């Protein structure tokens, strides 16, 4: 694992890029190289390299319009005397904070530290806390479940035409933003399951809604995968002693209807399904205490494994 702090990116990537652009902006406004050097706290030779193009900046900063706007504002303020070093530093710290909040500093940090990739990391903004750990646990559950699904060929024929999703909720989930899932859904392509991207919080609507409703009745049910409804899956579930719940396919008041069904049953079964409606494909939800458990059960059902 590479251990690199975001502050290193600020020093090694952001600051040199800032100096290159700010030197050029001040040079364009007629400042001498020595005047620029005094403002930037570097040597005149360094400014000559900046202005002459000998030093290249980080593209991810240069391509962000917020960076250019801040550079132009500081350069203009230095030239017309409306901004001093204190105010310039305040401007730059505000820009750095913005770049650390899912901005280019985050992008570079994730590229340098693979363990952060796909976590929707906001460590710089929030710091270390229990909420962050809960989010990481949910995301990791979905990542492991997605990997298991990709390695389960039997699932391919049961992926709905609209695609499937795999999700795990945080223990204290209250809405879709507390549920980790795969952005863009998972599809069957060329006889294999294609997972288009890493899991993120808030990436699902229908599967997340199913989990949240199930959690209201049984807090231990925090994972799910949705498959195409089939007689084979339902029969396999019943052979395992699972009594599926059927519900109407319509989206209107769906969560209320599901909650009523769970309340009537007095429990949350591991299989919940509908047989479709006009414009709505028949879908079966396989539930579990996590996405990993849900995918494992789904794989057993489509494999015909009696357990």
């Amino acid at each position: 694992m590479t251990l690199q702090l975001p502050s290193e990116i600020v020093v090694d990537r952001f600051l040199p890029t800032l100096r290159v652009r700010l030197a050029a902006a001040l040079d364009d406004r007629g400042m001498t190289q020595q005047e620029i050097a005094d403002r930037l706290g570097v040597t005149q030779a360094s400014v000559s390299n900046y202005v002459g193009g000998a030093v290249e900046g980080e593209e991810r900063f240069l391509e962000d319009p917020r960076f250019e706007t801040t550079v132009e504002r500081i350069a203009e303020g230095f030239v017309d005397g409306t901004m001093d070093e204190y105010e310039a530093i305040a401007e730059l710290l505000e820009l750095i904070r913005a770049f650390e909040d899912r901005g280019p500093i985050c992008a570079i940090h994730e590229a340098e530290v693979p363990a952060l990739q796909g976590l929707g990391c906001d460590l710089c903004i929030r710091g270390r806390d229990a909420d962050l750990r809960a989010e990481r646990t949910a995301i990791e559950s979905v990542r492991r479940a997605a990997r298991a699904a990709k390695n389960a060929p039997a699932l391919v024929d049961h992926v709905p035409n609209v695609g499937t999703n795999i999700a795990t909720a945080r223990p204290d989930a209250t809405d879709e933003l507390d549920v980790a899932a795969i952005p863009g859904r998972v599809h069957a392509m060329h006889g294999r399951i294609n997972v288009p991207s890493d899991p993120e919080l808030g990436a699902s609507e229908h599967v997340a809604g199913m989990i949240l409703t199930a959690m209201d009745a049984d807090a231990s049910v925090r994972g799910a995968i949705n498959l195409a409804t089939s007689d084979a899956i339902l029969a396999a579930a019943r052979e395992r002693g699972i009594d599926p719940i059927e519900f109407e396919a319509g989206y209107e008041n769906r969560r209320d209807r599901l909650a009523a069904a769970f309340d009537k049953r007095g429990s949350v079964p591991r299989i919940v399904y509908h047989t479709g409606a006009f414009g709505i494909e028949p879908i079966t939800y396989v539930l579990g205490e996590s996405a990993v458990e849900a995918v494992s059960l789904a794989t057993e059902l489509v494999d015909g494994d009696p357990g």
Side-chain angles (χ1 to χ4, degrees):
M1 172 180 173
T2 301
L3 185 62
Q4 184 177 46
L5 297 175
S7 55
E8 295 180 72
I9 295 169
V10 174
V11 172
D12 296 339
R13 309 275 192 99
F14 178 85
L15 189 54
T17 304
L18 170 72
R19 286 172 173 160
V20 168
R21 274 301 299 126
L22 190 50
L26 293 172
D27 181 69
D28 289 342
R29 287 167 170 79
M31 267 195 178
T32 68
Q33 290 189 0
Q34 188 57 57
E35 288 173 328
I36 296 171
D38 292 341
R39 285 287 191 175
L40 299 185
V42 299
T43 66
Q44 183 273 327
S46 294
V47 172
S48 178
N49 287 332
Y50 296 155
V51 175
V55 180
E56 296 183 358
E58 168 62 54
E59 287 297 324
R60 275 173 281 205
F61 296 136
L62 295 172
E63 293 171 354
D64 193 302
R66 293 172 294 180
F67 182 86
E68 186 64 23
T69 297
T70 300
V71 166
E72 291 294 324
R73 187 161 53 241
I74 292 173
E76 196 64 32
F78 279 174
V79 171
D80 64 21
T82 59
M83 183 179 295
D84 60 19
E85 284 82 356
Y86 180 95
E87 293 167 314
I89 291 172
E91 289 263 356
L92 292 172
L93 287 174
E94 184 176 343
L95 180 63
I96 289 169
R97 283 192 290 269
F99 280 5
E100 288 176 337
D101 187 3
R102 305 308 307 148
I105 288 178
C106 279
I108 296 169
H109 199 202
E110 289 181 354
E112 296 294 331
V113 185
L116 297 175
Q117 294 179 11
L119 295 180
C121 174
D122 56 2
L123 188 58
C124 295
I125 305 304
R126 291 172 48 184
R128 185 181 181 211
D129 59 25
D131 282 345
L132 184 60
R133 183 172 296 276
E135 291 176 6
R136 288 189 61 186
T137 300
I139 288 170
E140 180 59 26
S141 171
V142 176
R143 181 182 287 111
R144 289 173 54 207
R147 189 180 305 121
K150 288 177 66 175
N151 292 327
L155 285 177
V156 172
D157 292 337
H158 298 273
V159 173
N161 293 325
V162 295
T164 186
N165 215 323
I166 302 166
T168 293
R170 291 168 34 129
D172 58 350
T174 59
D175 60 34
E176 285 81 0
L177 294 177
D178 294 321
V179 182
I182 306 296
R185 301 187 185 181
V186 175
H187 290 272
M189 298 177 62
H190 309 297
R192 301 183 63 185
I193 287 181
N194 177 58
V195 180
S197 56
D198 288 322
E200 295 178 4
L201 293 167
S204 170
E205 179 181 355
H206 300 310
V207 177
M210 173 62 71
I211 292 174
L212 291 168
T213 308
M215 286 180 68
D216 287 340
D218 183 346
S220 70
V221 180
R222 297 193 293 114
I225 179 175
N226 64 311
L227 303 174
T229 297
S230 69
D231 291 339
I233 289 178
L234 297 178
R238 293 186 177 103
E239 288 177 5
R240 294 177 62 88
I242 300 172
D243 185 14
I245 280 183
E246 181 179 2
F247 68 99
E248 293 182 8
Y251 295 120
E252 186 176 357
N253 300 321
R254 174 178 284 192
R255 289 186 62 175
D256 291 338
R257 289 184 280 108
L258 281 167
F262 293 152
D263 184 62
K264 182 178 180 180
R265 174 70 65 87
S267 64
V268 178
R270 290 301 186 259
I271 303 294
V272 183
Y273 74 99
H274 65 71
T275 56
F278 181 75
I280 301 176
E281 188 177 5
I283 296 293
T284 292
Y285 295 88
V286 182
L287 307 178
E289 293 188 3
S290 68
V292 174
E293 183 178 293
V295 169
S296 176
L297 175 56
T299 303
E300 292 173 4
L301 294 177
V302 300
D303 274 338
D305 182 352

